[in-house]
Amino acid sequence: KNVNVVGYIWAVNAEDGRPVSWWVYNGDMPDCKAFETIINFLGASDIAIEGVIVDKGFASQAVVDSIREQGFEYVIKITNGSKAHKEMLEEHADDIRMNVEKAFVANNRVLFGVTDQKKIFESDDRNSTIGLYYDCINGAERCNNLIAKVITTIKTLKQNINKGYKVVVPSEFKKYIGIECDKDGIPVDITIDKKYWQKLVNHTGFSSIACSLPLDAESIDHLYNLRDVSEKQFSILKSQLGFHATRVHSDASIKSRFLAGFVSSILRTELELICQNLELDTNVIIQKLNRVSLLLMSDGRYHAV
């Protein structure tokens, strides 16, 4: 509390996960500005960018406009509340749910997909290719959890009403669960908008991805999944290279620490790529390397032990 927040961006090659660049900035900078800065920096460094893969945390009109202004292609996971996702659900959900003609396999799981041309946001001025996807495994699990949670909540609310306890509907259910009161304002029963509840269940397991290119659903999903290498680098940065905390306070120290982390990530990535080719476990090899010492021997030379 009451401290300055620091943000940082790690740019990696989507094909092999090699770190390309990094930047540390004040945490109160808008995402679109931070995003634009790293893109401009890469361009000024003669690093060619073909396109940008964006997670839904960055999915905003400002970020999309920035990418378009730079002339890059894009693949963007969009939120469930976006204009495009809502329209795709209404028009295509029933067309792809468990439809074998729309099925494809990605990362050892079956997805069902379809594409259409839509505006991503209400304020958008052009169409993008929108891929709508249905994951039956994920959908079934989430449906089970949602239905079970609603039924349990309804049961609890009714018990509280019968016992005369204070009754409060959890905020996540207020759109379709209400409290019915008598003329004195005393709760006597609950109301359920079953159509809205059913709609939520029917739309569970769906997601959407926007793309600037006229590709099919499987190709768009493949491109978006290339971002997994950046997630992996971020995980390694925090868990194995010690960047879950900076432990420094001045701006210069923070930048220096992230520079050290960037160099470390380059070295680790190159070692990992070599290990992959040799079918070796990267972490095991790193542990073995940590036990290697260089000793100055009597012949005046250093020997690795």
Side-chain angles (χ1 to χ4, degrees), residues 23 73 108 151 174:
W23 186 51
E73 306 297 348
N108 297 318
I151 291 175
K174 284 186 176 180

Side-chain angles (χ1 to χ4, degrees), residues 45-274:
S45 303
D46 293 327
I47 297 175
I49 302 173
E50 183 175 350
V52 182
I53 306 169
V54 181
D55 159 324
K56 64 181 178 182
F58 268 84
S60 68
Q61 185 68 66
V63 168
V64 173
D65 289 341
S66 176
I67 296 172
R68 288 170 176 167
E69 288 172 6
Q70 301 293 329
F72 300 134
E73 306 297 348
Y74 55 82
V75 179
I76 304 174
K77 188 72 170 283
I78 58 179
T79 63
N80 292 348
S82 65
K83 169 184 171 66
H85 180 72
K86 291 178 180 178
E87 291 182 355
M88 290 295 289
L89 278 176
E90 294 297 329
E91 297 174 22
H92 299 291
D94 293 337
D95 298 335
I96 66 172
R97 187 187 290 106
M98 304 303 286
N99 183 346
V100 294
E101 294 184 357
K102 303 295 184 180
F104 63 93
V105 177
N107 296 328
N108 297 318
R109 75 191 196 282
V110 177
L111 293 179
F112 304 84
V114 67
T115 60
D116 203 346
Q117 295 294 312
K118 300 285 182 185
K119 292 181 179 179
I120 305 175
F121 310 104
E122 292 287 350
S123 58
D124 214 345
D125 61 357
R126 71 187 78 173
N127 286 337
S128 298
T129 303
I130 308 297
L132 177 69
Y133 302 90
Y134 178 65
D135 184 332
C136 55
I137 301 297
N138 175 271
E141 183 177 347
R142 289 174 57 195
C143 276
N144 179 81
N145 293 339
L146 173 62
I147 294 172
K149 196 171 183 180
V150 171
I151 291 175
T152 301
T153 299
I154 291 172
K155 184 177 180 180
T156 301
L157 289 172
K158 287 186 174 181
Q159 288 175 345
N160 289 342
I161 288 175
N162 293 334
K163 293 177 180 178
Y165 295 163
K166 182 179 180 180
V167 181
V168 178
V169 177
S171 58
E172 60 185 302
F173 302 127
K174 284 186 176 180
K175 287 187 177 181
Y176 53 104
I177 297 179
I179 304 297
E180 182 180 341
C181 299
D182 61 17
K183 61 181 181 180
D184 297 321
I186 298 174
V188 294
D189 202 355
I190 65 167
T191 60
I192 308 168
D193 185 344
K194 292 185 178 179
K195 287 186 177 180
Y196 186 88
W197 182 16
Q198 185 64 56
K199 184 178 180 179
L200 289 180
V201 171
N202 291 345
H203 289 172
T204 298
F206 287 90
S207 61
S208 292
I209 303 174
C211 181
S212 58
L213 299 170
L215 301 176
D216 59 32
E218 184 174 0
S219 299
I220 293 174
D221 178 72
H222 170 72
L223 284 176
Y224 180 73
N225 285 329
L226 292 176
R227 65 180 287 280
D228 287 348
V229 296
S230 66
E231 292 287 353
K232 184 177 180 182
Q233 282 286 9
F234 186 61
S235 175
I236 290 173
L237 187 70
K238 292 193 298 181
S239 63
Q240 297 187 29
L241 299 181
F243 278 77
H244 57 289
T246 58
R247 305 192 189 285
V248 292
H249 299 283
S250 70
D251 288 357
S253 297
I254 289 173
K255 291 179 180 179
S256 296
R257 180 152 169 73
F258 275 105
L259 173 59
F262 180 66
V263 174
S264 299
S265 70
I266 291 174
L267 296 173
R268 193 196 181 284
T269 301
E270 294 302 324
L271 181 59
E272 182 178 38
L273 293 174
I274 294 171

